[in-house]
């Protein structure tokens, strides 16, 4: 019988749903706070770790925005991104499509260029340093007005050759995709790829809006689309990818127990689901940990694991030629792990 954990470790994978600010480990948070003289309501590492404990999305977001206040300089964003890429390398993640929240930084007085330059310098070095390729996606914060998203899109203009897409994150319920229809149309006009968090806490109607109004290329999370059979059929027929985040779902009580996670059901329905870490410093694990714990909890088979690895590349924004190289590597690892 295949050793699934060995297979998971050996497989090349892509990560398609990762918020760089959510990779801020408690140790780094303390370090950056000290080097930048930022006052935090925590005195010890234990107090930070104790605060990383949530029962819903908003609880998490409150800590997440507080945490990112320690990020002040290009060097901070570079170091944060590099530490994440090092984890990816350890997990055999070969390609990443990562989010950042520019408004979380410009709102505190940083220039748009500070996070972007720091993040891109680490991402650009990753090909040589770790053999990892990337696409960068900037997210609009959905609890803010659409006007602010337009302003962010304007600030991004000088960087648009290096930013591959836009996303939509933050507090979902009460901030439906329809609120951002115009700014997503403007981003589409500029040739940007479009993704949106939908159906994490929000109802299936939000997934419909993300498809019909925002015209997204990929769905982030999407768990609640399973409540609607017509929507399942539509997402499946369109071959849309879902960037699912099992340990995040457990931490934010989208599922009460990992055994109840719908990953197996999604795959058995033929949906193109992928496994991702979302905010790994806050939710207890990077990509391989998400694979291992989910496989064990819901009983994923060797075939499921191979499908997930393939989906991570076919669901990416890499060209089909680039995808083919990774898919060939997956088949080689599969053959070596019968
Ligand atoms: N959901 C919504 N917004 C977010 C998340 C998430 O999982 N992580 C960071 N911002
Ligand atoms: Zn997310």
């Amino acid at each position: 019988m295949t050793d699934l954990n060995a297979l998971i470790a050996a497989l090349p994978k892509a990560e398609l749903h990762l918020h760089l600010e959510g990779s801020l480990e408690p140790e780094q948070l303390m370090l950056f706070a000290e080097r930048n003289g930022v006052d935090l309501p925590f005195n010890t590492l234990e107090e930070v770790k104790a605060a990383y404990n949530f029962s819903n999305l908003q609880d998490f977001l409150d800590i997440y925005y507080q945490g990112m206040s320690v990020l002040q300089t290009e060097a901070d964003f570079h170091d944060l991104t590099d530490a994440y890429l090092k984890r990816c390398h350890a997990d055999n993640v070969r390609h990443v499509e990562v989010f950042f929240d520019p408004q979380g930084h410009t709102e505190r007085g940083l220039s748009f260029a500070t996070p972007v330059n720091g993040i891109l310098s680490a991402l650009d070095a990753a090909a040589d340093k770790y053999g990892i390729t990337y696409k960068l996606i900037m997210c609009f914060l959905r609890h803010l007005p659409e006007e602010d998203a337009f302003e962010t899109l304007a600030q991004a203009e000088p960087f648009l050759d290096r930013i591959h897409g836009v996303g939509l994150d933050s507090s979902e319920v009460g901030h439906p995709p329809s609120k951002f229809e115009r700014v997503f149309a403007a981003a589409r006009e500029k040739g940007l790829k479009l993704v949106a968090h939908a159906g994490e806490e929000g109802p299936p109607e939000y997934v419909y809006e993300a498809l019909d109004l925002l015209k997204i290329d990929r769905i982030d999370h999407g768990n609640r689309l399973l409540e609607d059979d017509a929507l399942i059929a539509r997402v499946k027929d369109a071959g849309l990818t879902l960037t699912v985040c099992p340990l995040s779902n457990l931490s934010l009580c989208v599922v009460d127990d990992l055994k109840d996670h719908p990953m197996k059901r999604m795959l058995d329905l033929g949906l193109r689901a992928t496994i991702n870490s979302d905010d790994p410093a806050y939710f207890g694990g990077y990509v391989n940990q998400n694979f291992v714990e989910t496989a064990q909890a819901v009983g994923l088979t060797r075939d499921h694991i191979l499908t997930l690895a393939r989906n991570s590349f076919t669901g990416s924004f890499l060209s089909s030629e680039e995808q083919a190289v990774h898919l060939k590597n997956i088949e080689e690892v599969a053959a070596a792990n019968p």
Side-chain angles (χ1 to χ4, degrees):
M1 222 179 78
T2 317
D3 175 344
L4 285 189
N5 291 356
L7 177 66
I8 290 165
L11 279 168
K13 293 165 293 283
E15 172 144 71
L16 307 180
H17 185 151
L18 178 285
H19 304 262
L20 283 168
E21 298 89 342
S23 70
L24 182 65
E25 292 287 342
E27 291 78 3
Q28 256 178 336
L29 181 139
M30 298 289 278
L31 182 88
F32 291 159
E34 194 174 318
R35 83 183 184 193
N36 293 323
V38 176
D39 234 357
L40 287 174
F42 316 112
N43 293 311
T44 64
L45 203 55
E46 284 61 42
E47 283 178 27
V48 181
K49 288 181 178 167
Y52 281 22
N53 181 24
F54 333 96
S55 55
N56 59 44
L57 177 57
Q58 194 57 51
D59 277 1
F60 156 69
L61 289 168
D62 293 344
I63 301 283
Y64 170 81
Y65 293 121
Q66 187 172 48
M68 71 171 76
S69 71
V70 303
L71 298 164
Q72 298 278 345
T73 66
E74 273 187 36
D76 298 336
F77 287 95
H78 175 100
D79 293 352
L80 174 78
T81 306
D82 183 67
Y84 162 66
L85 291 164
K86 198 169 171 187
R87 301 269 195 166
C88 287
H89 184 57
D91 276 3
N92 231 332
V93 171
R94 304 278 177 84
H95 176 69
V96 297
E97 301 194 349
V98 289
F99 301 135
F100 77 113
D101 286 327
Q103 291 160 292
H105 312 301
T106 52
E107 270 208 317
R108 334 182 250 116
L110 270 58
S111 80
F112 186 91
T114 300
V116 184
N117 286 335
I119 289 168
L120 283 170
S121 72
L123 289 171
D124 284 334
D128 278 350
K129 200 168 173 186
Y130 304 116
I132 296 174
T133 55
Y134 74 88
K135 307 281 184 201
L136 181 59
I137 298 171
M138 68 170 193
C139 287
F140 300 126
L141 298 182
R142 67 200 306 157
H143 66 274
L144 298 176
E146 189 184 38
E147 258 169 50
D148 295 21
F150 268 113
E151 196 180 321
T152 302
L153 187 60
Q155 290 166 344
E157 196 70 46
F159 301 92
L160 285 188
D161 55 335
R162 322 213 37 214
I163 294 176
H164 202 76
V166 300
L168 188 63
D169 67 0
S170 192
S171 320
E172 186 180 9
V173 175
H175 302 284
S178 50
K179 184 176 160 187
F180 296 91
E181 186 177 353
R182 286 145 300 263
V183 76
F184 266 64
R188 189 181 329 114
E189 284 287 304
K190 293 179 189 296
L192 291 160
K193 290 287 185 187
L194 309 176
V195 300
H197 285 52
E200 180 184 18
E201 285 191 345
E205 289 69 33
Y206 283 25
V207 180
Y208 278 110
E209 284 193 9
L211 298 177
D212 291 332
L213 305 180
L214 304 189
K215 305 188 194 310
I216 53 170
D217 298 295
R218 193 160 73 200
I219 302 170
D220 295 317
H221 294 293
N223 299 50
R224 290 196 60 192
L225 73 82
L226 293 173
E227 294 168 21
D228 183 322
D229 287 341
L231 188 54
I232 293 172
R234 176 164 170 196
V235 168
K236 182 181 164 182
D237 293 347
L240 278 170
T241 299
L242 307 178
T243 65
V244 184
C245 307
L247 291 179
S248 163
N249 293 158
L250 180 63
S251 290
L252 302 186
C253 304
V254 170
V255 294
D256 293 331
D257 191 305
L258 206 55
K259 287 189 172 55
D260 302 328
H261 196 279
M263 178 52 70
K264 187 161 182 281
R265 181 165 170 232
M266 288 170 165
L267 293 171
D268 290 344
L269 282 166
L271 291 167
R272 192 192 279 162
T274 60
I275 285 189
N276 307 273
S277 68
D278 206 5
D279 300 281
Y282 292 89
F283 301 148
Y286 289 77
V287 169
N288 284 2
Q289 188 82 19
N290 272 271
F291 266 81
V292 165
E293 291 196 31
T294 309
Q296 192 183 7
V298 305
L300 298 181
T301 63
R302 176 178 181 278
D303 278 350
H304 287 127
I305 301 294
L306 291 173
T307 299
L308 284 163
R310 292 185 195 108
N311 288 354
S312 74
F313 291 105
T314 55
S316 76
F317 295 135
L318 288 169
S319 69
S320 45
E321 292 77 20
E322 290 166 327
Q323 291 179 17
V325 175
H326 293 290
L327 293 173
K328 183 164 170 281
N329 290 337
I330 289 174
E331 298 324 310
E332 286 166 10
V333 172
N337 291 269

